[in-house]
């Protein structure tokens, strides 16, 4: 193993010591004996770090893998930090887990460590969605919480989302401070693994009703639901936690005609019917769409394994079903909430919505037309939650979302909530059906009124240490050679969130960006197009986002305008995406 650097070799040697159990030591030794140098490097070249979604990685042995010791170390570090931040309080934490392989055992491991540290632990008896964990943190008055999930990642992954006392994921300074505490743990002996049973309180199915009842109070048009109670809804949990609560929520809302995709209804961490359990992917939505076609559904929905993201397919005038993207779902929800609030006389001066910097500006256009403020945050719903917490008691949050299929209506939680979103999407479909419109009709209405926004996302996967280095170099090259044109269109502004500054490309004038630092570059063209480059905080990927806009005069021109924008997007992306 002569090519391993000194720090990596030191980590390997540590994991061969008697601090670790015999099975772990054997697994490390097997990698050495089999001369699996690349696997050793990827497994040990660093410690897992908190990104935009917390701790996430491939399950296996090593400091850069999800396993008993990395999870135990993260939990002990979080526990040490909570003790420092709340020295005079009895500390309470909530713990939940999704359907992934090992999620339940990891969840109990986390509960063990917290209980051994003297914390009162509210542990879900069975798998439940991420938003319910956020709700539990707030409901039980906890100082923190942990959700075991890798969201929509492939089956080899698991993850650890850490939450603060507001029910939101860790943000600055807590995220970095927890890492400091985690890194301060140099020995497995510093981790308290011995479960203290009397400190663990099981959260049962009766908690579901508390969450359902709280959401039901947010309903905007119960009369429309009552009139359209037999609305044909197809729902798939894609082998995840959504099955435990989404059908119950829709039933409580008043919908009586919900068809669950049977082949994907059972929680299963191997996700046997899909390549990726991600509702952003057409392949993952295909069974639900097929079922929608069979029964002539009004709306088709599917949630990811921890039920914080939702994908939607709508019926076209032809009767065929078509997936809509996260920007379109969020725009529909934003319009529905704001137009309904206006209709009901509930719009006030101190209300707001939130979007991320890579989410469609259609959100902001809709908000502006209703005289509602739109705040912008960095990518990651934890930053939307942070805005909600900062403005609590001063301004009122209505709705928010991000292009990656995460949305939230109302402020019951501080994270994206696909269960809440499913209920509102169904209610929205019922309300507009009462008016004789489909969701597709409403989307066309938005494009006619605000302009046709079209977006594209390209993700390049770069695995392991070599991949991480390559992504870092790609961003460095972009900064060193800022494009003057994209697709033949002049770039007039560059926003560098890493350096917190925006540059006018014509005058050279720089202005401050008032957001936390983040490794994101945005290029704004003279046409108002927005192209963004951003390494993912949760996956070994670099992502390129493109958003363009054109006027749509008549729905009959939709295909023509769409093709024109496709060509524009392709030319721009060809100029910036170098694989």
């Amino acid at each position: 193993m002569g090519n391993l650097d000194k720090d990596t070799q030191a980590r390997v040697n540590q994991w061969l010591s008697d601090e670790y159990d015999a099975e772990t030591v054997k697994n490390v030794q097997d990698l050495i004996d089999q001369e699996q140098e690349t696997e050793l490097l990827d497994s040990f070249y660093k410690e897992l770090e908190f990104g935009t979604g917390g701790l996430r990685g491939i399950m296996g042995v090593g400091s850069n893998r999800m396993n008993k010791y990395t999870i135990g170390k993260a939990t002990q570090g979080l526990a040490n930090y909570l003790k420092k931040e709340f020295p005079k309080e009895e500390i309470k934490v909530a713990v939940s887990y999704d359907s992934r392989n090992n999620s339940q055992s990891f969840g109990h491991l986390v509960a063990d460590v917290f209980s051994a540290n003297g914390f009162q632990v509210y542990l879900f008896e069975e798998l439940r969605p991420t938003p319910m964990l956020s709700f539990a943190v707030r409901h039980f008055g906890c100082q923190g919480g942990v959700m075991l999930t890798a969201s929509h990642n492939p089956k080899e992954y698991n993850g650890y989302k850490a939450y603060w006392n507001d029910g939101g994921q860790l943000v600055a300074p807590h995220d970095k401070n927890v890492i400091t505490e985690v890194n301060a743990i140099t020995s497995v002996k510093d981790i308290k693994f011995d479960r203290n049973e009397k400190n663990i309180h099981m959260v049962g199915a009766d908690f579901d009703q508390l969450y359902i009842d709280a959401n039901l109070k947010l309903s905007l048009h119960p009369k429309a639901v009552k009139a359209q109670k037999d609305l044909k809804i197809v729902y798939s949990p894609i082998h995840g936690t959504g099955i435990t609560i989404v059908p119950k929520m829709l039933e409580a809302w008043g919908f009586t005609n919900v068809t669950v995709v049977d082949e994907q209804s059972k929680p299963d961490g191997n996700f046997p019917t899909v390549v990726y359990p991600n509702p952003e992917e057409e392949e993952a939505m295909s069974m639900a769409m097929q079922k929608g076609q069979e029964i002539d559904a009004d709306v088709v929905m599917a949630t990811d394994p921890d039920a914080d993201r939702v994908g939607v397919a709508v019926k076209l005038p032809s009767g065929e079903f078509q997936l809509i993207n996260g920007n379109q779902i969020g725009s529909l929800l934003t319009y529905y909430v704001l137009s309904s609030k206006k209709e009901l006389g509930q719009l006030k001066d101190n209300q707001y919505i939130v979007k991320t910097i890579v989410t469609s500006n259609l959100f902001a256009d809709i908000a502006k037309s209703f005289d509602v403020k739109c705040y912008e945050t960095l990518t990651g719903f934890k930053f939307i939650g942070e805005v909600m917490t900062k403005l609590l008691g001063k301004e009122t949050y209505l709705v928010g979302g991000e292009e990656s299929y995460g949305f939230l209506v109302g402020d019951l939680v501080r994270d994206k909530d696909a269960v809440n979103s499913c209920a509102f999407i169904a209610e929205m479909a019922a309300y507009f059906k009462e008016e004789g419109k489909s969701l597709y009709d409403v989307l066309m209405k938005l494009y006619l009124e605000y302009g046709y926004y079209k977006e594209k996302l390209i993700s390049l996967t770069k695995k392991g240490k070599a991949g991480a280095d390559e992504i870092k170099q790609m961003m460095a090259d972009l900064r060193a050679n800022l494009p003057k044109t994209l697709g033949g269109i002049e770039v007039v502004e560059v926003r560098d969130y890493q350096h917190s500054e925006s540059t006018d490309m014509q005058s050279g004038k720089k202005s401050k960006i008032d957001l936390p630092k983040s490794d994101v570059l945005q290029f704004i063209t003279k046409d108002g197009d927005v192209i963004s480059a951003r390494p993912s905080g949760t996956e070994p990927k670099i992502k390129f986002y493109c958003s363009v806009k054109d006027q749509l005069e008549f729905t009959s021109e939709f295909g023509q305008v769409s093709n024109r924008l496709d060509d524009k997007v392709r030319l721009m992306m060809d100029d910036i995406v170098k694989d």
Side-chain angles (χ1 to χ4, degrees), residues 308 310 326-327 329-335 337-338 352-356 359 363-364 367 372-377 380-381 383-385 387-388 396-411 413 415-418 420-421:
D308 63 353
V310 59
N327 287 305
I329 300 167
S331 297
L332 283 167
L333 279 170
T334 299
Y335 178 74
V337 171
L338 298 191
Y352 67 94
I353 73 162
V354 195
K355 65 180 279 294
T356 71
T359 300
F363 286 46
V372 171
K373 276 185 280 189
C374 176
Y375 289 102
E376 227 177 31
T377 72
F381 212 95
F383 296 113
I384 294 179
V387 170
M388 294 169 68
T396 302
Y397 170 90
L398 295 179
V399 60
E402 52 187 353
E403 98 302 331
S404 55
Y405 295 65
F407 319 101
L408 174 67
V409 181
D411 65 351
V413 303
D415 209 342
K416 50 188 177 287
D417 187 343
N420 161 283
S421 299

Side-chain angles (χ1 to χ4, degrees), residues 52-69:
T52 57
L55 197 69
R56 192 176 298 185
I58 295 170
M59 290 177 279
V61 68
S63 61
N64 190 37
R65 294 287 186 254
M66 291 292 295
N67 53 60
K68 170 184 177 180
Y69 296 103

Side-chain angles (χ1 to χ4, degrees), residues 305-451:
D306 65 322
D308 63 353
R309 298 172 191 251
V310 59
V312 177
V314 299
K315 192 193 299 182
L316 301 176
S318 65
E320 298 290 313
F321 277 84
Q322 179 176 301
L323 291 179
I324 57 176
N325 64 39
N327 287 305
Q328 293 169 319
I329 300 167
S331 297
L332 283 167
L333 279 170
T334 299
Y335 178 74
Y336 174 65
V337 171
L338 298 191
S339 62
S340 296
K341 289 283 186 184
K342 184 176 181 180
E343 177 189 338
L344 297 167
Q346 296 176 4
L347 275 188
K348 297 183 175 67
D349 290 340
N350 67 340
Q351 294 167 328
Y352 67 94
I353 73 162
V354 195
K355 65 180 279 294
T356 71
I357 58 174
V358 296
T359 300
S360 175
N361 284 325
L362 181 52
F363 286 46
D365 289 353
I366 293 168
K368 185 177 180 181
S369 72
F370 286 97
D371 292 321
V372 171
K373 276 185 280 189
C374 176
Y375 289 102
E376 227 177 31
T377 72
L378 294 176
T379 306
F381 212 95
K382 68 177 186 177
F383 296 113
I384 294 179
E386 183 181 26
V387 170
M388 294 169 68
T389 295
K390 283 181 178 177
L391 295 178
L392 188 63
K394 303 169 191 172
E395 299 179 28
T396 302
Y397 170 90
L398 295 179
V399 60
E402 52 187 353
E403 98 302 331
S404 55
Y405 295 65
F407 319 101
L408 174 67
V409 181
D411 65 351
L412 292 176
V413 303
R414 291 292 181 273
D415 209 342
K416 50 188 177 287
D417 187 343
V419 186
N420 161 283
S421 299
C422 281
F424 272 98
I425 290 163
E427 181 181 283
M428 174 171 64
Y431 174 79
F432 287 122
K433 190 173 183 181
E434 273 290 277
E435 292 189 341
K437 300 172 188 168
S438 68
L439 292 182
Y440 177 81
D441 294 333
V442 181
L443 193 58
M444 289 302 106
K445 177 184 183 298
L446 296 184
Y447 288 151
L448 288 169
E449 185 172 346
Y450 300 104

